[in-house]
Amino acid sequence: MKILNKSKLEEVLNRLGENADVYVPMSKGLQSGFYPWKSLEGGKDELMLDALNVYQPPKSVVFPQTERMYSLYQEGKGLKIEETYENDEPRVIFGARACDIKGIICMDEVFLTGGYEESFYKARRESTTIVANACYEPGPSCFCAAMGVDPLNPEGADVIIRDTGDAYIWEALTEKGEALSSTIKDLLEEKELSVPEAKPFIQQVDYDGVAEKLKGMFEHPIWDRTSEACLNCGICTYICPSCYCFDIQVKMYGHEGYRFRCWDSCMYEEYTREAGGGNPRPTGRERFRNRFLHKLEFFTERYGHPLCTGCGRCIVVCPAGINITSIISEAKEADLDA
Amino acid sequence: MNDFTQQIQDIASRLLDNGQVDVFIAWHKGQQDFQVQPYFARSADEAQNIIFNDYSIHNLSNSLLKFRDSKEKIGIVVKGCDSRGIIRLLEDNQIQRERLYIVGICCPGMKDPLQAMRDELGFNHKPESTELAAKCNDCIQPNPVIYDELLGTEQSPRVQDRFARVKEIEAMSADERYQFFEETISRCIRCYACREVCVACDCRTCIFDEMRPQWVGRENNTTDNLMYHIVKASHMAGRCIECGECERVCPVNIPLMLLNQKVIKDVNELFGPYEAGMQYVEGQKPPFSMYEESDPDDFL
């Protein structure tokens, strides 16, 4: 098998960086997320490949928080599109966990299937190669397996690396993965190593039948109580590896300007505000309910799996201590006649 | 702390049982000890779920805004800083005093559940948890300033040099300052957690949600982010009660209290002495909600 000795990791990342923007899990002060390898400042920032995960998922590599779509100018009564900004520069996401890659697969389904392809997402996505870091030791808030994710064999990976201590086992799975491997083939070694032993999950979640059951729970009292502590901030949606809601707006300066796309959150009142002033989700309860029904019911109905990948980030970041695994178990146990 | 749990449970049961309140706002335990969550008990039975531990840090006064349009009577537990939030809401006519039964706790300082979550759940390289939450080391008012019942013994303020961080920034050159704020504020992900958790943010429609006109752009870039934070900080003038919740919940560690404290310092120097929400006097308004002939106007 091919292996990548950890002593050669920096060299590998530098090499990959010659032809692409390489995003790696990194801490920057108290921040952590997928940041460009080139931005690593020695003595200040640290590579976090050996941590369970980082705070901000790699979602923004393929779906940036703000993305300029095209610039335009007004000509008489019409508008002329000056330039479109589809970005297909090569990039590599290095060391993502299965849960985070599943988030990208969810976005693929939304943006690239169903008879319509979203060209801005497509350009970024197709130029991205994913190196997955297989996960053998789930953290206390991890529950990816319960959501149909295989942490040991991440779906959607072009290459999988497996941490054996001093070296990673390197497995290329796709053409993109092979292409990446060929650029560093002099840095890989041939050696037999045994794969680490997978540790059991600490967090137990039973999602079986929940999507089906939630169909009958739109007006269930469970939402009155579970939503009470929620502040309706957008942390959970913005830090989520699979939340993909966005808004499209225009900025004009006189006769010229540009159109851009930016993340939006179903937690905000403005999100569902209608032009006439009405709002189908007027209070926090309806917004809270929508978030969980979208994750656990609607998406599963449409795509066959939930929009939650079990990464546990929303549990870690929520200022009000809301826990999606508790919502799943409450839904599971709820009395439908209540 | 366990002591407080029992006492709060007893008070809540009593009030809910005899109909003095319809809902009692405190905390209950989540899956982990440090995972404490705001809780709304509606019966004496539910009151038994209430806990108060080292992690009961949330400023619950903010939750009163959920009840501003109802007639329900509310029991609520507040620490020193949180109690100032209640005064702010009373001054802004967001809630009526007679609807509240306030249980005050002389606060020994809290731990930050969010820090513990990051440490314990594997999202930190190096542990960051400290003995007390950062905001509690800056505490100027550990004892409740408004209450119907008081628990615990009086505590001393813990702050050493209240505006130390502000003075550090003031000492920088304009360029250094700009660089500092550009760096910290460009991190903002515009999740608005700092706004939602803030008891001083009690506007029904927030300026940042207005679309016609749209006062602040929605792009995540330095310009729009700076605009958001400058406008938010100015709106805090005379209103921030220094509970520090905004900075604590910020997922990208923006030092929001630095901005708020600068504004507090300026309001104090220009319109003061003034401390928001320290004392409830019916009809009293914060400096920016009224006009006085003697108000400074050198900048005009």
Side-chain angles (χ1 to χ4, degrees):
Chain A
M1 59 178 66
K2 292 264 183 295
I3 69 141
L4 160 60
N5 202 302
K6 284 188 181 173
S7 61
K8 296 208 172 126
L9 188 59
E10 281 195 23
E11 216 177 324
V12 164
L13 292 170
N14 287 336
R15 178 81 60 82
L16 297 179
E18 285 169 14
N19 305 310
D21 290 328
V22 182
Y23 294 84
V24 293
M26 191 191 288
S27 66
K28 283 185 177 288
L30 282 175
Q31 304 297 299
S32 69
F34 280 79
Y35 304 118
W37 166 243
K38 280 180 187 146
S39 75
L40 185 128
E41 286 180 55
K44 210 172 139 202
D45 306 337
E46 263 183 275
L47 192 61
M48 279 179 74
L49 277 170
D50 55 345
L52 173 71
N53 213 335
V54 285
Y55 215 51
Q56 302 209 46
K59 160 168 91 173
S60 57
V61 176
V62 287
F63 182 51
Q65 179 156 11
T66 304
E67 181 170 31
R68 202 174 278 211
M69 301 169 83
Y70 54 83
S71 53
L72 50 95
Y73 67 94
Q74 221 170 344
E75 208 180 47
K77 283 183 180 168
L79 281 177
K80 272 259 163 85
I81 291 177
E82 226 163 18
E83 195 183 344
T84 53
Y85 300 102
E86 281 166 17
N87 185 326
D88 60 0
E89 287 158 23
R91 65 204 88 209
V92 175
I93 297 173
F94 193 99
R97 298 294 189 184
C99 49
D100 287 349
I101 304 171
K102 183 73 175 187
I104 293 175
I105 292 173
C106 292
M107 292 195 288
D108 289 349
E109 286 168 331
V110 171
F111 289 120
L112 304 176
T113 69
Y116 186 82
E117 288 180 343
E118 209 276 345
S119 61
F120 296 92
Y121 179 84
K122 191 180 178 192
R124 282 178 179 270
R125 181 65 178 96
E126 286 189 344
S127 59
T128 301
T129 305
I130 298 176
V131 179
N133 188 4
C135 199
Y136 288 88
E137 196 174 341
S141 59
C142 291
F143 58 103
C144 67
M147 306 318 275
V149 174
D150 181 352
L152 306 180
N153 298 294
E155 181 191 350
D158 296 301
V159 174
I160 298 180
I161 57 173
R162 300 177 193 279
D163 192 343
T164 64
D166 296 329
Y168 292 104
I169 297 169
W170 178 282
E171 275 171 59
L173 302 172
T174 63
E175 264 178 47
K176 271 188 197 172
E178 294 288 357
L180 202 70
S181 304
S182 70
T183 64
I184 56 162
K185 62 172 181 266
D186 55 311
L187 299 171
L188 298 175
E189 295 162 43
E190 194 67 44
K191 196 173 171 183
E192 289 308 307
L193 289 175
S194 50
V195 292
E197 198 186 326
K199 301 249 170 69
F201 277 82
I202 302 162
Q203 175 79 258
Q204 300 301 323
V205 177
D206 183 5
Y207 177 65
D208 274 354
V210 170
E212 193 61 30
K213 189 172 175 190
L214 282 169
K215 280 187 195 174
M217 291 180 65
F218 193 72
E219 293 295 352
H220 197 278
I222 180 183
W223 306 115
D224 299 338
R225 300 308 300 271
T226 49
S227 68
E228 262 177 329
C230 177
L231 297 166
N232 285 118
C233 72
I235 298 188
C236 54
T237 57
Y238 283 1
I239 217 102
C240 175
S242 64
C243 270
Y244 56 80
C245 285
F246 61 86
D247 194 6
I248 291 176
Q249 300 195 358
V250 179
K251 224 172 223 180
M252 290 297 286
Y253 300 94
H255 290 288
E256 52 186 4
Y258 55 89
R259 193 171 276 272
F260 64 93
R261 179 166 72 179
C262 59
W263 291 356
D264 202 350
S265 169
C266 57
M267 286 287 125
Y268 302 156
E269 184 272 341
E270 184 212 314
Y271 179 86
T272 38
R273 196 191 303 155
E274 294 163 354
N279 196 332
R281 296 185 204 138
T283 73
R285 174 184 167 275
E286 292 83 41
R287 285 173 241 149
F288 181 93
R289 174 179 65 191
N290 176 75
R291 173 165 156 83
F292 290 103
L293 289 184
H294 186 200
K295 292 249 164 246
L296 304 171
E297 182 203 339
F298 311 148
F299 198 87
T300 306
E301 276 171 31
R302 182 167 295 182
Y303 298 106
H305 60 88
L307 186 60
C308 169
T309 70
C311 74
R313 277 193 187 82
C314 55
I315 303 172
V316 176
V317 299
C318 179
I322 305 232
N323 187 325
I324 188 169
T325 65
S326 308
I327 309 275
I328 294 172
S329 50
E330 282 198 45
K332 180 102 187 169
E333 287 157 19
D335 178 0
L336 285 182
D337 300 322
Chain B
M1 291 281 182
N2 285 331
D3 224 34
F4 285 142
T5 297
Q6 190 59 51
Q7 292 179 58
I8 298 168
Q9 284 184 359
D10 291 348
I11 296 167
S13 303
R14 187 186 81 221
L15 296 174
L16 286 160
D17 232 4
N18 67 19
Q20 230 175 312
V21 302
D22 302 300
V23 56
F24 191 93
I25 311 176
W27 296 266
H28 73 159
K29 192 178 144 317
Q31 287 180 352
Q32 322 260 4
D33 277 338
F34 49 81
Q35 213 175 9
V36 176
Q37 193 180 27
Y39 182 59
F40 302 71
R42 289 172 192 274
S43 68
D45 273 354
E46 286 183 357
Q48 301 312 306
N49 298 330
I50 291 174
I51 64 154
F52 185 89
N53 69 14
D54 289 346
Y55 295 97
S56 301
I57 197 169
H58 319 77
N59 179 353
L60 301 178
S61 66
N62 169 280
S63 313
L64 292 174
L65 288 169
K66 293 189 190 231
F67 296 89
R68 62 178 155 189
D69 295 325
S70 80
K71 299 253 184 277
E72 283 173 295
K73 284 173 287 167
I74 306 151
I76 184 167
V77 184
V78 287
K79 304 175 291 292
C81 52
D82 316 341
S83 71
R84 298 174 64 192
I86 295 193
I87 294 185
R88 281 278 40 257
L89 295 179
L90 292 171
E91 284 175 352
D92 285 0
N93 296 322
Q94 297 300 306
I95 201 97
Q96 299 74 41
R97 178 68 181 92
E98 56 276 14
R99 286 176 58 200
L100 302 178
Y101 189 94
I102 306 166
V103 179
I105 290 190
C106 297
C107 176
M110 295 282 134
K111 291 182 193 297
D112 183 359
L114 289 169
Q115 267 187 348
M117 294 292 263
R118 290 192 288 268
D119 276 354
E120 300 288 328
L121 304 184
F123 284 77
N124 265 350
H125 228 182
K126 295 181 200 117
E128 58 167 296
S129 284
T130 41
E131 185 54 37
L132 284 185
K135 72 172 204 173
C136 294
N137 288 322
D138 291 334
C139 177
I140 60 163
Q141 187 59 47
N143 306 308
V145 291
I146 186 170
Y147 54 84
D148 295 298
E149 203 162 330
L150 189 67
L151 306 181
T153 48
E154 281 211 4
Q155 304 284 319
S156 310
R158 276 172 295 273
V159 70
Q160 300 292 324
D161 180 0
R162 187 178 176 193
F163 296 114
R165 282 204 297 175
V166 176
K167 287 175 206 155
E168 258 174 54
I169 304 292
E170 283 174 342
M172 289 178 174
S173 71
D175 281 349
E176 284 171 337
R177 256 202 309 273
Y178 186 81
Q179 212 179 358
F180 172 82
F181 283 112
E182 191 182 33
E183 196 274 313
T184 47
I185 284 175
S186 63
R187 294 206 294 259
C188 178
I189 58 169
R190 302 283 285 279
C191 66
Y192 301 136
C194 50
R195 171 185 75 176
E196 298 302 332
V197 81
C198 179
V199 64
C201 281
D202 59 21
C203 293
R204 282 185 187 265
T205 303
C206 175
I207 181 169
F208 305 118
D209 290 338
E210 286 195 3
M211 295 297 287
R212 291 178 195 166
Q214 188 185 51
W215 302 99
V216 177
R218 298 294 193 272
E219 279 175 287
N220 188 277
N221 57 29
T222 310
T223 313
D224 285 357
N225 291 358
L226 271 171
M227 191 68 182
Y228 168 70
H229 287 284
I230 291 169
V231 172
K232 182 173 186 301
S234 336
H235 282 197
M236 291 297 110
R239 298 193 167 89
C240 171
I241 48 114
E242 286 187 272
C243 71
E245 284 290 85
C246 51
E247 184 166 321
R248 183 180 73 82
V249 303
C250 177
V252 290
N253 307 99
I254 296 173
L256 291 152
M257 282 307 292
L258 188 58
L259 294 171
N260 291 335
Q261 279 195 316
K262 167 66 178 161
V263 175
I264 288 169
K265 187 166 168 278
D266 285 356
V267 168
N268 221 332
E269 283 164 10
L270 294 166
F271 300 89
Y274 184 78
E275 293 289 355
M278 271 301 185
Q279 196 184 7
Y280 181 51
V281 179
E282 218 174 321
Q284 182 179 276
K285 296 283 167 209
F288 283 13
S289 296
M290 57 185 189
Y291 170 74
E292 275 178 18
E293 289 260 313
S294 60
D295 282 350
D297 55 6
D298 306 344
F299 53 91
L300 287 177

